[in-house]
Amino acid sequence: MCRMGDVLAGNHAVWEFDSDSVLIRFARGIRTPRTPRLLHALGERRIPFEALAGVSVSATGSGGRRDAVVLRAVPRTGADPLMEAAAGQLREVCDPYRLVLPGDRAGQAAEFADAVRARLGPEAAEPAERFLVQVPQPPLQLKAYDARLGFDGSAVTFHWSRTGATSTKWKAGDQRYPLTTLTGIEWKSPEGPGGHLRLLLRDATADPRPDHDLAAAVFAVGYGSVHESLPFAAAVLAALRGRAPVASVPAARTDERLHHLGELYSAGLLTDAEYAALRDRFAAEA
C-alpha cells in the first residue's frame, strides 16, 4: 500500500506521495534521457489531490525488456493555469502529468494510482471553481520575435522590436495593458504554425493577424519557446482569474463601501468606468 513519502522515479520526474498532494520534481530519474526544457523550467510542482480528476496506468510495448508503464494524472478542468493556457497543445513528452516508468514497475505504479484515487473526493468529476495549482510568480519577461514582453503582476507590456515588428506595431509604439482591461489570454504553441501570445481585450476587437494585433506577440524559431512562453501565459492567466470581481465589494455602510471601493481602484482592480459606476450607485443607495 502506498504511504506518505513513497516515491516513483521515472524518465523525467520523481513523484512523491504526500498527505494532501502529489509532489512532482522534474529531473532525471531511473533512466537518463534529456529532460524536456518545459519540465526542467517547471522544476517542481505540488499538485493537490483536489486538483485532480483521476489517474490512470497503461502499459506500452509487447512484453519485451524495454517495455514501459505510463502513470498519468488528469487535472480537473480549471484547476491548473498551465494546462488551461496550453489548451491541449503540449506534446506528450512535455505533459507534466505523465510519468514513464520501466515495465517492471507496473505494480508500484498501480499501487500509487490506487492511493491517489482513494484521496479524490466527489468534486473530482466537476470543473474547479478556481485555480488550485501554483504557477511561476511575476515579475516575468518573455522575448518573442517582434516584441519583448513584461509582466509585473498587474499589467502586461509590449516593447516592439525594430527588426521583427511590423510597421503597424512600430508606428503605434509600445503598449501596456493592465489586467483590468483583459478578459483572457490566448497561447498558440511556437512548435506549430502561427505561434503567438495574444491578450484578449475587454473593449476592443482584435486584428486576426497576430503580427498586426497590438495586443499580440509573434513567435518564431528561437523566440517564444514553449518552456518560456507557456509559463508566462499561465502566470498572466492566473493573475487575471485571481482579480477581485466587482461583485466582491461588500454590502456595508456607505462610507465603508466607498473606502473599500477606493482601495480596489487604487490597486488597479477596477477600471475607471467600473469605479465611477459603483461610486455613483453606492451614493444613490445612501
Side-chain angles (χ1 to χ4, degrees):
M1 180 66 181
C2 189
R3 297 169 296 180
M4 186 173 67
D6 284 353
V7 300
L8 283 176
N11 280 9
H12 304 304
V14 176
W15 287 22
E16 179 178 343
F17 188 86
D18 206 346
S19 59
D20 60 355
S21 58
V22 176
L23 177 61
I24 302 178
R25 299 184 180 91
F26 297 102
R28 221 164 37 205
I30 290 177
R31 299 181 182 180
T32 58
R34 181 179 176 183
T35 301
R37 297 184 75 180
L38 173 63
L39 304 185
H40 181 75
L42 294 176
E44 178 178 301
R45 304 192 87 206
R46 185 173 294 277
I47 312 298
F49 293 130
E50 63 175 332
L52 297 176
V55 61
S56 65
V57 179
S58 59
T60 64
S62 56
R65 295 182 62 183
R66 295 188 177 182
D67 288 353
V69 60
V70 178
L71 177 64
R72 185 173 188 278
V74 180
R76 292 170 61 191
T77 299
D80 185 350
L82 188 82
M83 302 307 285
E84 293 296 304
Q89 299 176 73
L90 288 180
R91 290 182 293 123
E92 190 175 70
V93 70
C94 292
D95 184 350
Y97 287 85
R98 181 176 178 268
L99 182 69
V100 180
L101 302 155
D104 60 7
R105 304 289 298 278
Q108 292 170 285
E111 287 186 5
F112 198 100
D114 287 342
V116 172
R117 291 190 193 101
R119 298 299 183 97
L120 303 185
E123 72 281 356
E126 302 294 331
E129 296 181 355
R130 59 185 176 86
F131 287 138
L132 301 168
V133 183
Q134 292 186 347
V135 294
Q137 296 299 306
L140 296 175
Q141 293 187 345
L142 171 66
K143 188 175 182 180
Y145 174 70
D146 61 354
R148 211 168 13 90
L149 286 75
F151 178 51
D152 62 5
S154 63
V156 181
T157 54
F158 291 78
H159 298 283
W160 306 120
S161 164
R162 282 184 174 273
T163 56
T166 59
S167 59
T168 300
K169 292 183 174 180
W170 188 248
K171 290 177 180 178
D174 294 343
Q175 303 291 311
R176 182 178 185 274
Y177 297 98
L179 292 181
T180 53
T181 66
L182 309 182
T183 61
I185 189 166
E186 175 185 87
W187 179 79
K188 182 73 173 177
S189 175
E191 296 182 340
H196 65 268
L197 184 149
R198 187 196 306 271
L199 304 179
L200 306 180
L201 304 182
R202 186 181 303 277
D203 299 315
T205 301
D207 190 313
R209 302 167 297 174
D211 58 340
H212 286 74
D213 184 356
L214 298 181
V218 176
F219 301 149
V221 177
Y223 296 91
S225 301
V226 171
H227 72 283
E228 296 173 333
S229 61
L230 181 56
F232 183 96
V236 175
L237 182 60
L240 181 61
R241 296 272 184 90
R243 286 186 61 235
V246 173
S248 69
V249 178
R253 291 189 309 159
T254 299
D255 55 345
E256 294 175 346
R257 297 168 82 187
L258 290 173
H259 176 72
H260 183 63
L261 184 65
E263 290 180 334
L264 293 176
Y265 179 71
S266 298
L269 300 178
L270 294 174
T271 65
D272 291 343
E274 289 172 339
Y275 172 75
L278 284 171
R279 180 195 58 201
D280 294 341
R281 193 184 82 190
F282 293 166
E285 292 174 353

